[in-house]
mmCIF file of all heavy atoms in Angstrom:
data_model
loop_
_atom_site.group_PDB
_atom_site.id
_atom_site.type_symbol
_atom_site.label_atom_id
_atom_site.label_comp_id
_atom_site.label_asym_id
_atom_site.label_seq_id
_atom_site.Cartn_x
_atom_site.Cartn_y
_atom_site.Cartn_z
ATOM 1 N N PRO A 169 -85.547 65.143 69.526
ATOM 2 C CA PRO A 169 -85.266 66.094 70.602
ATOM 3 C C PRO A 169 -85.277 65.424 71.983
ATOM 4 O O PRO A 169 -84.681 65.946 72.920
ATOM 5 C CB PRO A 169 -86.402 67.117 70.486
ATOM 6 C CG PRO A 169 -87.491 66.405 69.756
ATOM 7 C CD PRO A 169 -86.843 65.393 68.881
ATOM 8 N N ILE A 170 -85.953 64.288 72.080
ATOM 9 C CA ILE A 170 -86.077 63.600 73.372
ATOM 10 C C ILE A 170 -85.446 62.219 73.288
ATOM 11 O O ILE A 170 -85.591 61.517 72.295
ATOM 12 C CB ILE A 170 -87.568 63.436 73.750
ATOM 13 C CG1 ILE A 170 -88.235 64.800 73.887
ATOM 14 C CG2 ILE A 170 -87.728 62.632 75.035
ATOM 15 C CD1 ILE A 170 -89.736 64.716 74.061
ATOM 16 N N MET A 171 -84.735 61.845 74.358
ATOM 17 C CA MET A 171 -84.180 60.493 74.437
ATOM 18 C C MET A 171 -84.605 59.857 75.745
ATOM 19 O O MET A 171 -84.454 60.454 76.816
ATOM 20 C CB MET A 171 -82.654 60.550 74.437
ATOM 21 C CG MET A 171 -82.046 61.084 73.165
ATOM 22 S SD MET A 171 -81.285 59.747 72.249
ATOM 23 C CE MET A 171 -79.802 59.511 73.188
ATOM 24 N N LEU A 172 -85.125 58.639 75.650
ATOM 25 C CA LEU A 172 -85.456 57.871 76.848
ATOM 26 C C LEU A 172 -84.396 56.787 76.993
ATOM 27 O O LEU A 172 -84.105 56.069 76.041
ATOM 28 C CB LEU A 172 -86.839 57.230 76.696
ATOM 29 C CG LEU A 172 -87.978 58.165 76.274
ATOM 30 C CD1 LEU A 172 -89.280 57.378 76.154
ATOM 31 C CD2 LEU A 172 -88.128 59.310 77.267
ATOM 32 N N MET A 173 -83.820 56.685 78.177
ATOM 33 C CA MET A 173 -82.746 55.710 78.368
ATOM 34 C C MET A 173 -83.049 54.861 79.595
ATOM 35 O O MET A 173 -83.137 55.372 80.702
ATOM 36 C CB MET A 173 -81.405 56.434 78.509
ATOM 37 C CG MET A 173 -81.144 57.389 77.342
ATOM 38 S SD MET A 173 -79.570 58.258 77.435
ATOM 39 C CE MET A 173 -78.435 57.021 76.839
ATOM 40 N N ASP A 174 -83.241 53.561 79.350
ATOM 41 C CA ASP A 174 -83.625 52.659 80.429
ATOM 42 C C ASP A 174 -82.430 51.813 80.856
ATOM 43 O O ASP A 174 -82.101 50.831 80.200
ATOM 44 C CB ASP A 174 -84.783 51.768 79.955
ATOM 45 C CG ASP A 174 -85.393 50.968 81.093
ATOM 46 O OD1 ASP A 174 -84.912 51.094 82.235
ATOM 47 O OD2 ASP A 174 -86.352 50.210 80.835
ATOM 48 N N GLU A 175 -81.784 52.189 81.920
ATOM 49 C CA GLU A 175 -80.595 51.507 82.423
ATOM 50 C C GLU A 175 -79.630 51.135 81.289
ATOM 51 O O GLU A 175 -79.220 49.981 81.166
ATOM 52 C CB GLU A 175 -80.999 50.227 83.182
ATOM 53 C CG GLU A 175 -82.031 50.505 84.252
ATOM 54 C CD GLU A 175 -81.783 49.736 85.533
ATOM 55 O OE1 GLU A 175 -80.698 49.152 85.681
ATOM 56 O OE2 GLU A 175 -82.672 49.761 86.395
ATOM 57 N N PRO A 176 -79.241 52.114 80.486
ATOM 58 C CA PRO A 176 -78.478 51.761 79.288
ATOM 59 C C PRO A 176 -77.082 51.231 79.588
ATOM 60 O O PRO A 176 -76.525 50.513 78.776
ATOM 61 C CB PRO A 176 -78.391 53.083 78.524
ATOM 62 C CG PRO A 176 -78.539 54.135 79.557
ATOM 63 C CD PRO A 176 -79.456 53.565 80.601
ATOM 64 N N PHE A 177 -76.540 51.560 80.741
ATOM 65 C CA PHE A 177 -75.150 51.164 81.003
ATOM 66 C C PHE A 177 -75.024 50.097 82.090
ATOM 67 O O PHE A 177 -73.938 49.803 82.550
ATOM 68 C CB PHE A 177 -74.305 52.383 81.410
ATOM 69 C CG PHE A 177 -74.398 53.534 80.444
ATOM 70 C CD1 PHE A 177 -74.501 54.836 80.906
ATOM 71 C CD2 PHE A 177 -74.379 53.311 79.072
ATOM 72 C CE1 PHE A 177 -74.575 55.903 80.019
ATOM 73 C CE2 PHE A 177 -74.461 54.369 78.179
ATOM 74 C CZ PHE A 177 -74.556 55.667 78.651
ATOM 75 N N SER A 178 -76.142 49.509 82.497
ATOM 76 C CA SER A 178 -76.057 48.630 83.669
ATOM 77 C C SER A 178 -75.578 47.227 83.327
ATOM 78 O O SER A 178 -75.195 46.486 84.217
ATOM 79 C CB SER A 178 -77.399 48.573 84.383
ATOM 80 O OG SER A 178 -78.372 48.058 83.513
ATOM 81 N N ALA A 179 -75.578 46.860 82.022
ATOM 82 C CA ALA A 179 -75.174 45.493 81.680
ATOM 83 C C ALA A 179 -73.683 45.359 81.378
ATOM 84 O O ALA A 179 -73.219 44.289 81.053
ATOM 85 C CB ALA A 179 -76.001 44.998 80.487
ATOM 86 N N VAL A 180 -72.938 46.469 81.489
ATOM 87 C CA VAL A 180 -71.505 46.382 81.189
ATOM 88 C C VAL A 180 -70.691 46.515 82.481
ATOM 89 O O VAL A 180 -71.195 46.982 83.498
ATOM 90 C CB VAL A 180 -71.074 47.475 80.179
ATOM 91 C CG1 VAL A 180 -71.679 47.196 78.823
ATOM 92 C CG2 VAL A 180 -71.468 48.855 80.661
ATOM 93 N N ASP A 181 -69.436 46.092 82.410
ATOM 94 C CA ASP A 181 -68.644 46.094 83.644
ATOM 95 C C ASP A 181 -68.314 47.538 84.073
ATOM 96 O O ASP A 181 -68.372 48.462 83.267
ATOM 97 C CB ASP A 181 -67.389 45.237 83.481
ATOM 98 C CG ASP A 181 -66.403 45.837 82.507
ATOM 99 O OD1 ASP A 181 -65.743 46.827 82.881
ATOM 100 O OD2 ASP A 181 -66.314 45.335 81.378
ATOM 101 N N PRO A 182 -67.991 47.727 85.364
ATOM 102 C CA PRO A 182 -67.873 49.083 85.926
ATOM 103 C C PRO A 182 -66.898 50.002 85.202
ATOM 104 O O PRO A 182 -67.162 51.186 85.059
ATOM 105 C CB PRO A 182 -67.400 48.830 87.359
ATOM 106 C CG PRO A 182 -67.824 47.456 87.676
ATOM 107 C CD PRO A 182 -67.803 46.694 86.381
ATOM 108 N N ILE A 183 -65.791 49.450 84.712
ATOM 109 C CA ILE A 183 -64.801 50.311 84.065
ATOM 110 C C ILE A 183 -65.337 50.833 82.743
ATOM 111 O O ILE A 183 -65.273 52.021 82.442
ATOM 112 C CB ILE A 183 -63.476 49.557 83.858
ATOM 113 C CG1 ILE A 183 -62.893 49.203 85.234
ATOM 114 C CG2 ILE A 183 -62.497 50.396 83.067
ATOM 115 C CD1 ILE A 183 -61.803 48.181 85.203
ATOM 116 N N VAL A 184 -65.927 49.900 81.958
ATOM 117 C CA VAL A 184 -66.525 50.308 80.687
ATOM 118 C C VAL A 184 -67.665 51.285 80.954
ATOM 119 O O VAL A 184 -67.825 52.290 80.260
ATOM 120 C CB VAL A 184 -67.037 49.076 79.899
ATOM 121 C CG1 VAL A 184 -67.788 49.513 78.652
ATOM 122 C CG2 VAL A 184 -65.879 48.176 79.517
ATOM 123 N N ARG A 185 -68.441 51.005 82.009
ATOM 124 C CA ARG A 185 -69.577 51.866 82.328
ATOM 125 C C ARG A 185 -69.115 53.294 82.606
ATOM 126 O O ARG A 185 -69.676 54.260 82.075
ATOM 127 C CB ARG A 185 -70.323 51.322 83.554
ATOM 128 C CG ARG A 185 -71.615 52.083 83.845
ATOM 129 C CD ARG A 185 -72.247 51.616 85.136
ATOM 130 N NE ARG A 185 -72.311 50.171 85.181
ATOM 131 C CZ ARG A 185 -72.191 49.449 86.288
ATOM 132 N NH1 ARG A 185 -72.011 50.038 87.445
ATOM 133 N NH2 ARG A 185 -72.256 48.135 86.238
ATOM 134 N N ALA A 186 -68.059 53.422 83.400
ATOM 135 C CA ALA A 186 -67.558 54.766 83.725
ATOM 136 C C ALA A 186 -67.177 55.511 82.455
ATOM 137 O O ALA A 186 -67.495 56.689 82.287
ATOM 138 C CB ALA A 186 -66.368 54.650 84.667
ATOM 139 N N GLY A 187 -66.516 54.787 81.522
ATOM 140 C CA GLY A 187 -66.129 55.409 80.267
ATOM 141 C C GLY A 187 -67.336 55.844 79.450
ATOM 142 O O GLY A 187 -67.376 56.956 78.904
ATOM 143 N N LEU A 188 -68.335 54.970 79.401
ATOM 144 C CA LEU A 188 -69.548 55.283 78.635
ATOM 145 C C LEU A 188 -70.264 56.496 79.226
ATOM 146 O O LEU A 188 -70.764 57.355 78.499
ATOM 147 C CB LEU A 188 -70.491 54.072 78.619
ATOM 148 C CG LEU A 188 -70.071 52.880 77.757
ATOM 149 C CD1 LEU A 188 -70.976 51.685 78.017
ATOM 150 C CD2 LEU A 188 -70.100 53.234 76.279
ATOM 151 N N GLN A 189 -70.297 56.564 80.553
ATOM 152 C CA GLN A 189 -70.960 57.702 81.222
ATOM 153 C C GLN A 189 -70.272 59.013 80.861
ATOM 154 O O GLN A 189 -70.917 60.002 80.521
ATOM 155 C CB GLN A 189 -70.958 57.497 82.738
ATOM 156 C CG GLN A 189 -71.893 56.397 83.206
ATOM 157 C CD GLN A 189 -71.644 56.005 84.654
ATOM 158 O OE1 GLN A 189 -70.594 56.320 85.232
ATOM 159 N NE2 GLN A 189 -72.595 55.308 85.255
ATOM 160 N N GLU A 190 -68.924 58.981 80.934
ATOM 161 C CA GLU A 190 -68.167 60.187 80.605
ATOM 162 C C GLU A 190 -68.478 60.662 79.192
ATOM 163 O O GLU A 190 -68.742 61.840 78.949
ATOM 164 C CB GLU A 190 -66.657 59.915 80.688
ATOM 165 C CG GLU A 190 -66.131 59.626 82.087
ATOM 166 C CD GLU A 190 -66.257 60.812 83.009
ATOM 167 O OE1 GLU A 190 -66.303 61.953 82.488
ATOM 168 O OE2 GLU A 190 -66.326 60.602 84.239
ATOM 169 N N GLU A 191 -68.445 59.694 78.262
ATOM 170 C CA GLU A 191 -68.669 60.059 76.870
ATOM 171 C C GLU A 191 -70.092 60.515 76.638
ATOM 172 O O GLU A 191 -70.356 61.391 75.821
ATOM 173 C CB GLU A 191 -68.345 58.880 75.969
ATOM 174 C CG GLU A 191 -66.859 58.722 75.802
ATOM 175 C CD GLU A 191 -66.553 57.642 74.819
ATOM 176 O OE1 GLU A 191 -67.079 57.727 73.699
ATOM 177 O OE2 GLU A 191 -65.828 56.705 75.190
ATOM 178 N N PHE A 192 -71.003 59.906 77.377
ATOM 179 C CA PHE A 192 -72.403 60.291 77.261
ATOM 180 C C PHE A 192 -72.580 61.747 77.691
ATOM 181 O O PHE A 192 -73.250 62.535 77.011
ATOM 182 C CB PHE A 192 -73.250 59.348 78.119
ATOM 183 C CG PHE A 192 -74.665 59.784 78.315
ATOM 184 C CD1 PHE A 192 -75.528 59.899 77.239
ATOM 185 C CD2 PHE A 192 -75.138 60.090 79.584
ATOM 186 C CE1 PHE A 192 -76.840 60.306 77.415
ATOM 187 C CE2 PHE A 192 -76.436 60.492 79.772
ATOM 188 C CZ PHE A 192 -77.289 60.611 78.690
ATOM 189 N N LEU A 193 -71.926 62.128 78.770
ATOM 190 C CA LEU A 193 -72.000 63.517 79.233
ATOM 191 C C LEU A 193 -71.397 64.477 78.204
ATOM 192 O O LEU A 193 -71.933 65.542 77.941
ATOM 193 C CB LEU A 193 -71.289 63.676 80.581
ATOM 194 C CG LEU A 193 -72.038 63.138 81.805
ATOM 195 C CD1 LEU A 193 -71.162 63.207 83.049
ATOM 196 C CD2 LEU A 193 -73.336 63.914 82.024
ATOM 197 N N ARG A 194 -70.269 64.052 77.630
ATOM 198 C CA ARG A 194 -69.615 64.887 76.628
ATOM 199 C C ARG A 194 -70.538 65.073 75.414
ATOM 200 O O ARG A 194 -70.703 66.171 74.911
ATOM 201 C CB ARG A 194 -68.304 64.212 76.196
ATOM 202 C CG ARG A 194 -67.248 65.210 75.735
ATOM 203 C CD ARG A 194 -65.934 64.495 75.446
ATOM 204 N NE ARG A 194 -65.516 63.650 76.560
ATOM 205 C CZ ARG A 194 -64.937 62.459 76.419
ATOM 206 N NH1 ARG A 194 -64.720 61.965 75.212
ATOM 207 N NH2 ARG A 194 -64.562 61.761 77.466
ATOM 208 N N LEU A 195 -71.162 63.966 75.000
ATOM 209 C CA LEU A 195 -72.082 63.983 73.866
ATOM 210 C C LEU A 195 -73.258 64.910 74.147
ATOM 211 O O LEU A 195 -73.653 65.732 73.322
ATOM 212 C CB LEU A 195 -72.592 62.553 73.655
ATOM 213 C CG LEU A 195 -73.094 62.128 72.289
ATOM 214 C CD1 LEU A 195 -71.979 62.228 71.270
ATOM 215 C CD2 LEU A 195 -73.595 60.682 72.363
ATOM 216 N N GLN A 196 -73.785 64.812 75.339
ATOM 217 C CA GLN A 196 -74.962 65.598 75.712
ATOM 218 C C GLN A 196 -74.635 67.089 75.764
ATOM 219 O O GLN A 196 -75.483 67.925 75.482
ATOM 220 C CB GLN A 196 -75.518 65.096 77.055
ATOM 221 C CG GLN A 196 -76.515 66.014 77.741
ATOM 222 C CD GLN A 196 -77.814 66.196 76.954
ATOM 223 O OE1 GLN A 196 -77.989 65.653 75.882
ATOM 224 N NE2 GLN A 196 -78.720 66.989 77.500
ATOM 225 N N ARG A 197 -73.386 67.440 76.103
ATOM 226 C CA ARG A 197 -73.004 68.855 76.128
ATOM 227 C C ARG A 197 -73.155 69.470 74.739
ATOM 228 O O ARG A 197 -73.539 70.625 74.595
ATOM 229 C CB ARG A 197 -71.563 69.022 76.630
ATOM 230 C CG ARG A 197 -71.511 69.239 78.142
ATOM 231 C CD ARG A 197 -70.149 69.756 78.562
ATOM 232 N NE ARG A 197 -69.166 68.696 78.657
ATOM 233 C CZ ARG A 197 -69.046 67.878 79.701
ATOM 234 N NH1 ARG A 197 -69.845 68.001 80.732
ATOM 235 N NH2 ARG A 197 -68.127 66.937 79.715
ATOM 236 N N ASP A 198 -72.864 68.645 73.687
ATOM 237 C CA ASP A 198 -73.041 69.139 72.313
ATOM 238 C C ASP A 198 -74.500 69.116 71.884
ATOM 239 O O ASP A 198 -74.965 69.994 71.181
ATOM 240 C CB ASP A 198 -72.266 68.252 71.314
ATOM 241 C CG ASP A 198 -70.774 68.329 71.538
ATOM 242 O OD1 ASP A 198 -70.335 69.279 72.226
ATOM 243 O OD2 ASP A 198 -70.059 67.446 71.039
ATOM 244 N N LEU A 199 -75.190 68.059 72.267
ATOM 245 C CA LEU A 199 -76.505 67.803 71.672
ATOM 246 C C LEU A 199 -77.650 68.484 72.407
ATOM 247 O O LEU A 199 -78.647 68.857 71.800
ATOM 248 C CB LEU A 199 -76.765 66.288 71.615
ATOM 249 C CG LEU A 199 -75.773 65.471 70.787
ATOM 250 C CD1 LEU A 199 -76.054 63.980 70.951
ATOM 251 C CD2 LEU A 199 -75.848 65.841 69.317
ATOM 252 N N GLU A 200 -77.506 68.616 73.717
ATOM 253 C CA GLU A 200 -78.548 69.233 74.546
ATOM 254 C C GLU A 200 -79.934 68.645 74.288
ATOM 255 O O GLU A 200 -80.903 69.356 74.051
ATOM 256 C CB GLU A 200 -78.557 70.753 74.350
ATOM 257 C CG GLU A 200 -77.247 71.366 74.804
ATOM 258 C CD GLU A 200 -77.352 72.849 75.069
ATOM 259 O OE1 GLU A 200 -78.153 73.525 74.391
ATOM 260 O OE2 GLU A 200 -76.643 73.330 75.977
ATOM 261 N N LYS A 201 -80.004 67.319 74.333
ATOM 262 C CA LYS A 201 -81.292 66.633 74.209
ATOM 263 C C LYS A 201 -82.034 66.686 75.538
ATOM 264 O O LYS A 201 -81.425 66.887 76.593
ATOM 265 C CB LYS A 201 -81.069 65.165 73.846
ATOM 266 C CG LYS A 201 -80.280 64.923 72.582
ATOM 267 C CD LYS A 201 -81.130 65.155 71.378
ATOM 268 C CE LYS A 201 -80.350 64.855 70.100
ATOM 269 N NZ LYS A 201 -81.039 65.381 68.920
ATOM 270 N N THR A 202 -83.340 66.499 75.442
ATOM 271 C CA THR A 202 -84.116 66.291 76.659
ATOM 272 C C THR A 202 -84.016 64.806 76.982
ATOM 273 O O THR A 202 -84.531 63.984 76.232
ATOM 274 C CB THR A 202 -85.591 66.669 76.421
ATOM 275 O OG1 THR A 202 -85.631 68.013 75.965
ATOM 276 C CG2 THR A 202 -86.396 66.506 77.700
ATOM 277 N N ILE A 203 -83.303 64.484 78.054
ATOM 278 C CA ILE A 203 -83.029 63.078 78.316
ATOM 279 C C ILE A 203 -83.699 62.636 79.617
ATOM 280 O O ILE A 203 -83.592 63.313 80.640
ATOM 281 C CB ILE A 203 -81.506 62.820 78.373
ATOM 282 C CG1 ILE A 203 -80.929 62.985 76.963
ATOM 283 C CG2 ILE A 203 -81.209 61.421 78.919
ATOM 284 C CD1 ILE A 203 -79.437 62.973 76.896
ATOM 285 N N VAL A 204 -84.430 61.536 79.533
ATOM 286 C CA VAL A 204 -84.980 60.915 80.737
ATOM 287 C C VAL A 204 -84.237 59.602 80.902
ATOM 288 O O VAL A 204 -84.235 58.767 80.003
ATOM 289 C CB VAL A 204 -86.492 60.674 80.622
ATOM 290 C CG1 VAL A 204 -87.048 60.237 81.973
ATOM 291 C CG2 VAL A 204 -87.206 61.920 80.125
ATOM 292 N N PHE A 205 -83.576 59.449 82.039
ATOM 293 C CA PHE A 205 -82.630 58.362 82.232
ATOM 294 C C PHE A 205 -83.048 57.547 83.455
ATOM 295 O O PHE A 205 -83.166 58.091 84.551
ATOM 296 C CB PHE A 205 -81.249 58.988 82.453
ATOM 297 C CG PHE A 205 -80.086 58.038 82.409
ATOM 298 C CD1 PHE A 205 -79.201 58.052 81.335
ATOM 299 C CD2 PHE A 205 -79.841 57.153 83.451
ATOM 300 C CE1 PHE A 205 -78.113 57.198 81.307
ATOM 301 C CE2 PHE A 205 -78.754 56.295 83.419
ATOM 302 C CZ PHE A 205 -77.885 56.318 82.337
ATOM 303 N N VAL A 206 -83.292 56.270 83.261
ATOM 304 C CA VAL A 206 -83.697 55.421 84.376
ATOM 305 C C VAL A 206 -82.502 54.621 84.873
ATOM 306 O O VAL A 206 -81.747 54.056 84.069
ATOM 307 C CB VAL A 206 -84.829 54.456 83.933
ATOM 308 C CG1 VAL A 206 -84.970 53.306 84.915
ATOM 309 C CG2 VAL A 206 -86.143 55.203 83.802
ATOM 310 N N THR A 207 -82.318 54.575 86.167
ATOM 311 C CA THR A 207 -81.265 53.730 86.745
ATOM 312 C C THR A 207 -81.668 53.329 88.163
ATOM 313 O O THR A 207 -82.535 53.954 88.769
ATOM 314 C CB THR A 207 -79.905 54.463 86.767
ATOM 315 O OG1 THR A 207 -78.917 53.593 87.308
ATOM 316 C CG2 THR A 207 -79.953 55.718 87.602
ATOM 317 N N HIS A 208 -81.045 52.256 88.667
ATOM 318 C CA HIS A 208 -81.265 51.915 90.073
ATOM 319 C C HIS A 208 -80.038 52.314 90.887
ATOM 320 O O HIS A 208 -79.973 52.123 92.087
ATOM 321 C CB HIS A 208 -81.552 50.411 90.223
ATOM 322 C CG HIS A 208 -80.411 49.552 89.746
ATOM 323 N ND1 HIS A 208 -80.370 49.029 88.474
ATOM 324 C CD2 HIS A 208 -79.269 49.179 90.347
ATOM 325 C CE1 HIS A 208 -79.240 48.357 88.320
ATOM 326 N NE2 HIS A 208 -78.550 48.443 89.440
ATOM 327 N N ASP A 209 -79.064 52.863 90.177
ATOM 328 C CA ASP A 209 -77.765 53.136 90.780
ATOM 329 C C ASP A 209 -77.676 54.627 91.128
ATOM 330 O O ASP A 209 -77.584 55.491 90.250
ATOM 331 C CB ASP A 209 -76.690 52.738 89.756
ATOM 332 C CG ASP A 209 -75.281 53.079 90.224
ATOM 333 O OD1 ASP A 209 -75.123 53.604 91.340
ATOM 334 O OD2 ASP A 209 -74.334 52.830 89.446
ATOM 335 N N ILE A 210 -77.688 54.941 92.414
ATOM 336 C CA ILE A 210 -77.702 56.340 92.858
ATOM 337 C C ILE A 210 -76.427 57.066 92.443
ATOM 338 O O ILE A 210 -76.456 58.256 92.122
ATOM 339 C CB ILE A 210 -77.970 56.443 94.386
ATOM 340 C CG1 ILE A 210 -78.116 57.900 94.830
ATOM 341 C CG2 ILE A 210 -76.910 55.731 95.190
ATOM 342 C CD1 ILE A 210 -79.338 58.601 94.315
#
Side-chain angles (χ1 to χ4, degrees):
Chain A
I170 299 172
M171 295 253 284
L172 309 179
M173 306 181 80
D174 190 359
E175 307 221 12
F177 308 138
S178 61
V180 292
D181 68 74
I183 296 165
V184 174
R185 187 186 312 146
L188 288 171
Q189 289 167 343
E190 293 295 336
E191 283 185 54
F192 168 63
L193 285 173
R194 208 175 309 142
L195 204 62
Q196 165 65 359
R197 268 195 280 279
D198 295 344
L199 299 173
E200 297 199 328
K201 303 283 182 194
T202 304
I203 291 171
V204 189
F205 191 108
V206 163
T207 181
H208 61 265
D209 175 1
I210 185 68

